[in-house]
Structures are given as structure tokens and as C-alpha cells.
Amino acid sequence: MNMPVRRVTKADVAKFANVSHMTVTRALTGSGSISAETKERVLNACRKLGYTPDLVARSLCARKSRILGLLTRPLAQSYFARMISSVEQRSRSLGYHVLMAQVTDGGPSILSNIQSLFGRRVDGLLIAGISLPEDAAVYLENSRIPTVFMDSPGDGDDFVFVGTNDREGGYQAAKYLVKQGHGRLAFIAGYPESYTSKERICGYRTALLEHGIEACDEDIFYTNYQMDGGYKAAEAMLSSGRGYTALLCGNDYVAVGAAACIRHHGFQIPKDFALIGFSGDELGEYSAP
């Protein structure tokens, strides 16, 4: 019969390094006064014995898990992948770990994902690119867990938001196209309920109205934020017969898909069609018009 493997304890490390239990604690946590030589002796003992701190026990004592929850959409785009990579690196430098949950179509609800993360005693929550339904928003507000929204803000004064100025981006892009002489501008946006879509469309409309151009609902085409969505939306745009000469896209993935469709129909970019993406993905930088 296999005997259970005994876990190396802090007492084992103290005995091996010939120091007190408190000295081991100070060496591992960076608290208190301890010489560099003693600290290295303790760390060397940890390496030789294969000691791993019991993070669960430590979190119970400190009443902090040092874990941050991260709720996001599937990482199909490099924009979110880069964002989350930065979050993970910065969190690690501050002594935190990141526990991620992805919201998928047909999977657990947003509320269920949040409850699952909270069940693991996260110290804070980061939400990337997700607009909360009412049940999740109410639950989150009542929880009083520190929360930061990225890319799309949450409702309520207690939430912190970090993101780009999407309205200004839509405004500047449309303004540039108008100044280049384009009077028929289409916009391929993301999901209709998306915060970023709404903000960018608002900026786009403002720029058109400032230059005396009617901002029609028929000039806005909604799709997902993927290349296939950009291609299909561009098909609908070209089939509308509204004589567009310029196209503003919700992100670079949409722009690449739309550009492929435009070329497929025999048009050249930018000779026949001006096109602007959004978000500065590497995909856009390495894609030829």
C-alpha cells in the first residue's frame, strides 16, 4: 500500500537551516529584521527540501487570499490577450495571483462566474470587456468587493473604470475621413449592446453632424468583433447600394475582414475605398490593404 507523502513544513526548514520558526517566516514574507546571509540560508533550505508555502493557511491567518478574480470574454483577440497578460504580470509583481473565468455563449451565466470567483475568496475583481446584466450588477454592488472594470464601465459610483476614450476615437476617425473628402461613410460596429460600440458610434455621429452630413441608422452595420463578422457586414454594406466611399470599423479584426470583402468585389484600398480600424492590433499592422 502506498503511504501518503509527508508535506515539508516550516518547522523542517527551520531545523535544516538551524534558525527559529519566526526567522523562516520573516525570510519568506520579507517582514521584520533579518540579515541577507540568514535569509539566503533559509531560502536555500527551502530549495533543498522542496518546501512550498501553504497559501491557504497563510490567507486564513492574514484574512487575505492575495488572489484577484478576472472575468473576461474568450481570448480570441490579441487586444484582450495583451491586456490580461499585463494584468497578470503587474499582479504578480505585487504578490498577487490571478484566477480567470471566461464568459462563453452557452456556458455559466455572468452571475454564476462571479459567484464562483467570490467563493474562492478573491480579494478583488477585474472585469474585462463585459457589460453586466442587472442581476450580476446588483449582486456585485452588494458584495462590496473592490472591482475594476476594463474596456467597459460598470454602473454605480463604487466601481473603478480603466479604458480608452471610445467616443473621441470614433469622432477623430470619422472627422479625418470627412476632411479627406468623403461624404458617404459607413460604420461597421460591434454588438449593438456593447458599450464600446455605442460610444464609438456616438463620436462618429457627432463628427458627421458637425460637418453637415446626415448620420443615418442605415449607415451603421452591427456584427461580432471578428474577421468573419467584418466580411459579412461589408457584404451587406456593398449590397446596400448607398454609394459609400469610406468605412470606419469597430476594431482591426473587423477591418481586416471588411478589407478582404472589399478586395473580393474588385475595389482597391485606398484608391476606391478608404478604411480605418480601431485598437492598434498587430494584425492590422501586418495586413496589407
Side-chain angles (χ1 to χ4, degrees):
M1 183 175 67
N2 293 330
M3 298 296 292
V5 178
R6 178 178 172 275
R7 185 185 182 96
V8 178
T9 66
K10 199 179 291 186
D12 296 326
V13 175
K15 183 177 180 180
F16 189 93
N18 195 27
V19 297
S20 68
H21 188 280
M22 181 57 70
T23 299
V24 174
T25 299
R26 289 173 177 171
L28 295 177
T29 61
S31 60
S33 177
I34 182 175
S35 69
E37 180 184 355
T38 301
K39 181 177 182 179
E40 180 55 36
R41 192 160 80 247
V42 171
L43 295 179
N44 185 55
C46 291
R47 287 191 290 268
K48 288 186 175 181
L49 295 175
Y51 172 73
T52 302
D54 188 336
L55 298 180
V56 174
R58 181 182 294 180
S59 67
L60 290 173
C61 293
R63 295 189 177 182
K64 281 190 175 183
S65 66
R66 301 202 71 80
I67 296 175
L68 299 177
L70 174 59
L71 188 65
T72 182
R73 295 286 182 186
L75 305 183
Q77 298 178 15
S78 62
Y79 171 75
F80 281 107
R82 293 198 312 270
M83 178 194 298
I84 291 168
S85 177
S86 297
V87 166
E88 201 279 332
Q89 290 178 33
R90 181 57 176 161
S91 299
R92 189 189 307 164
S93 73
L94 296 172
Y96 283 84
H97 295 277
V98 176
L99 182 63
M100 186 172 70
Q102 295 190 55
V103 176
T104 58
D105 294 335
S109 68
I110 292 175
L111 176 59
S112 295
N113 274 288
I114 292 175
Q115 290 173 328
S116 177
L117 290 171
F118 284 3
R120 286 159 177 78
R121 301 298 181 187
V122 296
D123 291 337
L125 180 64
L126 300 141
I127 299 179
I130 294 176
S131 298
L132 298 185
E134 185 177 357
D135 60 346
V138 171
Y139 177 83
L140 189 59
E141 192 164 8
N142 291 336
S143 73
R144 314 305 294 176
I145 298 291
T147 300
V148 174
F149 283 81
M150 300 181 292
D151 198 57
S152 297
D155 295 327
D157 297 331
D158 295 333
F159 302 136
V160 176
F161 170 57
V162 178
T164 57
N165 191 334
D166 292 289
R167 184 174 301 193
E168 181 66 15
Y171 173 82
Q172 292 294 342
K175 180 180 177 181
Y176 174 81
L177 291 173
V178 170
K179 286 195 171 184
Q180 295 300 307
H182 297 284
R184 297 294 298 163
L185 281 71
F187 194 138
I188 298 181
Y191 300 104
E193 69 278 7
S194 165
Y195 167 82
T196 54
S197 289
K198 292 177 182 178
E199 287 294 292
R200 293 169 190 176
I201 289 171
C202 184
Y204 154 85
R205 288 183 182 276
T206 300
L208 295 187
L209 292 173
E210 282 185 0
H211 291 82
I213 301 173
E214 186 179 4
C216 301
D217 291 341
E218 292 82 0
D219 297 330
I220 300 172
F221 300 83
Y222 294 98
T223 185
N224 59 31
Y225 273 128
Q226 305 300 327
M227 285 184 281
D228 65 328
Y231 191 101
K232 293 174 183 176
E235 282 274 18
M237 175 197 70
L238 293 172
S239 300
S240 69
R242 292 176 64 82
Y244 299 112
T245 61
L247 174 61
L248 176 58
C249 296
N251 69 8
D252 288 345
Y253 282 76
V254 171
V256 169
C261 178
I262 291 169
R263 290 195 302 270
H264 181 78
H265 282 267
F267 297 105
Q268 296 182 33
I269 301 171
K271 180 181 177 182
D272 303 315
F273 238 99
L275 185 147
I276 291 182
F278 200 109
S279 71
D281 275 298
E282 285 185 339
L283 177 72
E285 295 178 17
Y286 291 99
S287 298

